[in-house]
């Protein structure tokens, strides 16, 4: 298989960690849905900030604080271009997807009444289930669930029957982290809007793999994490439509988000600052801006088409292994492949693969309801990044053959 159309080795060379040996074998990193590796320029951006212009932002009048503030706000602008937001201020820096969803879920506590409803899907990450459950507990609202078919696609007919004038929000993942389904979110958003229901999209697994245009999608909220986007941990983005950012109250309060404070009363700035109380993760935000530049230079459409080829290649290879079931066979998938092997525990598979230098994720993937839906205790999950190769996938198959030999004896 040729890779000339996508200079993967050129990109690989930019990730220092890919030079590592694990157990004397070259690292094959296929746990990108958990977190991606960082290119040198992202690492260097953080160092440069610390070496040259570390200061707190939006305060003080000295040179360093001006430079740091400019770097932070430039990163916000880069991120807003990356997801095609109309206005950089609509991109709130948060800790990650989890915090972004919690921020909105907290905001909805003041908007919901008993017996109102929130709809999620059966294939969500816990981060897009538990915050809504908590909001329901506090408000008396109810959680409704869109089921999925055996292939991992959502049953949109049932979605239609779930929506009513009691529905106050639909919160759904763009790409399912455990099984890779790409949900038809634009269609889903249109269906929700026909019932005047706002929509939050969990984009944690979508932004690294495809172009996202929040204006085209027309979603009310879109959330993602920097560390799954070749950026650092501790930073993520919550995009919101202006009228919704106006409507929901601050999640945290304190310094930097106020216009005035007396002991009787405080008044708040408008967004994004209304939602960024305290010293934000400045270094991480600036480095996320660098990651976004890196991806924009390569082109998300190129990454998408390359990873689609990896997906087809891996699916064919794995499909030919007797006793291996791929969980989630949606027509539209990201290169996230979960599988089980008859009578072999995912943890055993992960351990043997680890001896081959191969990093995969095993277990429930923070998606216990998905595992329950498919009747499995857990799976082994391969998830690619832009630096993975066909040869690495061949090695995974060799590793799996060895797992089978160890646990079932030679064929
Ligand atoms: C779809 C999805 N949503 C939310 C999250 C939570 O992201 P974070 O841990 O970065 O907040 C993840 C992480 O794996 C995810 O895959």
């Amino acid at each position: 298989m040729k890779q000339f159309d996508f200079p993967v080795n050129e990109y690989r060379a930019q990730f220092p960690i890919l030079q590592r040996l694990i157990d004397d074998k070259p690292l094959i990193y296929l746990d990108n849905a958990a977190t991606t590796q960082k290119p040198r320029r992202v690492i260097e951006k953080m160092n440069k900030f610390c070496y040259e212009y570390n200061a707190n932002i939006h305060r003080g009048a000295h040179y360093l604080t001006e430079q740091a503030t400019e770097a932070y706000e430039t990163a916000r602008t880069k991120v807003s271009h990356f997801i095609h937001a109309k206005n950089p201020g609509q991109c709130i820096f948060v800790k990650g997807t989890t915090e972004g969803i919690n921020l909105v879920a907290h905001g909805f506590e003041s908007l919901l009444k008993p017996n109102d409803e929130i709809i999620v899907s059966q294939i969500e990450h816990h981060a897009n289930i538990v915050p809504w459950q908590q909001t329901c507990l506090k408000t008396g609202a109810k959680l409704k669930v869109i089921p999925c078919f055996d292939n991992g696609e959502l049953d949109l007919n049932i979605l239609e029957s779930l929506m009513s004038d009691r529905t106050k929000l639909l919160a759904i993942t763009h790409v399912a982290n455990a099984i890779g389904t790409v949900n038809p979110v634009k269609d889903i958003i249109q269906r929700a809007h026909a019932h005047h229901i706002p929509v939050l999209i969990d984009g944690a697994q979508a932004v690294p793999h495809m172009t996202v245009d929040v204006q085209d999608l027309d979603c009310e909220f879109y959330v993602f994490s920097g560390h799954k986007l070749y950026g650092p941990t501790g930073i993520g983005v919550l995009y919101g439509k202006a009228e919704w950012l106006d409507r929901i109250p601050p999640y945290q309060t304190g310094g930097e988000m106020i216009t005035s404070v007396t002991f009787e009363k405080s008044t708040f700035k408008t967004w994004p600052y209304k939602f960024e109380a305290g010293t934000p993760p400045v270094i991480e935000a600036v480095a996320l801006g660098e990651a976004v530049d890196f991806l924009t230079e390569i082109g998300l459409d190129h990454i998408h088409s390359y990873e689609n080829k990896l997906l087809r290649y891996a699916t064919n290879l794995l499909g030919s292994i007797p006793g291996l079931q791929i969980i989630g066979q949606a027509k539209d998938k990201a290169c996230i492949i979960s599988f089980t092997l008859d009578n072999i525990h995912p943890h055993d598979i992960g351990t043997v693969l680890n001896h081959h230098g191969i990093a995969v994720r095993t277990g429930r993937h923070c998606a216990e309801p998905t595992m329950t839906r498919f009747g499995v205790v857990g799976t082994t999950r391969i998830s690619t990044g832009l630096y993975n190769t066909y040869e690495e996938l061949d090695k995974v198959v060799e590793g799996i053959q060895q797992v089978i030999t160890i646990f079932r004896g030679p064929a």
Side-chain angles (χ1 to χ4, degrees), residues 217-229:
L217 290 178
D218 201 25
C219 51
E220 277 61 36
F221 302 101
Y222 197 98
V223 201
F224 61 94
S225 301
H227 70 98
K228 297 183 196 289
L229 194 65

Side-chain angles (χ1 to χ4, degrees), residues 33-34 96-99 101 125 127 173 175-177 202 204-205 225 227-228:
T97 307
T98 304
E99 191 179 51
I101 296 173
H125 186 281
T173 195
V175 174
N177 72 305
D202 173 351
Q205 299 295 346
S225 301
H227 70 98
K228 297 183 196 289

Side-chain angles (χ1 to χ4, degrees), residues 141-361:
K142 297 196 169 65
L143 200 63
K144 299 275 164 170
V145 182
I146 315 166
C148 75
F149 295 114
D150 288 345
N151 69 355
E153 290 176 11
L154 295 182
D155 186 335
L156 297 187
N157 287 329
I158 298 203
L159 166 62
E160 287 294 344
S161 69
L162 290 177
M163 291 188 290
S164 74
D165 55 8
R166 287 190 303 276
T167 316
K168 294 299 182 292
L169 182 78
L170 172 60
I172 198 164
T173 195
H174 198 160
V175 174
N177 72 305
I179 55 172
T181 308
V182 179
N183 285 322
V185 284
K186 190 167 175 184
D187 174 27
I188 291 173
I189 291 163
Q190 281 167 359
R191 288 170 190 251
H193 285 177
H195 297 265
H196 308 290
I197 299 168
V199 183
L200 175 140
I201 303 291
D202 173 351
Q205 299 295 346
V207 283
H209 303 294
M210 61 188 74
T211 301
V212 169
D213 182 331
V214 289
Q215 290 191 76
D216 180 54
L217 290 178
D218 201 25
C219 51
E220 277 61 36
F221 302 101
Y222 197 98
V223 201
F224 61 94
S225 301
H227 70 98
K228 297 183 196 289
L229 194 65
Y230 307 94
T233 51
I235 186 75
V237 175
L238 164 67
Y239 158 86
K241 273 192 188 167
E243 60 268 35
W244 282 95
L245 296 178
D246 284 339
R247 256 183 105 179
I248 61 175
Y251 177 46
Q252 296 184 333
T253 50
E256 284 308 299
M257 50 79 68
I258 46 78
T259 46
S260 140
V261 176
T262 66
F263 284 108
E264 287 70 41
K265 183 177 184 297
S266 302
T267 51
F268 306 141
K269 287 181 182 160
T270 184
W271 40 269
Y273 307 112
K274 162 184 165 183
F275 298 109
E276 294 181 357
T279 301
V282 186
I283 301 170
E284 292 81 356
V286 171
L288 176 59
E290 189 68 19
V292 159
D293 280 349
F294 169 69
L295 291 171
T296 307
E297 284 165 27
I298 298 175
L300 255 298
D301 290 348
H302 285 127
I303 295 169
H304 184 240
S305 109
Y306 177 63
E307 287 196 74
N308 252 331
K309 289 180 199 149
L310 292 179
L311 170 68
R312 282 200 297 274
Y313 187 74
T315 306
N316 282 338
L317 283 180
L318 295 172
S320 65
I321 299 176
L324 186 149
Q325 292 84 31
I326 295 179
I327 309 291
Q329 308 244 23
K331 278 189 278 308
D332 196 2
K333 268 184 79 168
C335 196
I336 296 175
I337 308 173
S338 250
F339 65 89
T340 57
L341 266 179
D342 285 349
N343 303 320
I344 305 178
H345 196 278
H347 186 72
D348 292 329
I349 302 171
T351 305
V352 175
L353 291 181
N354 184 44
H355 290 308
H356 290 252
I358 301 170
V360 295
R361 172 95 181 252

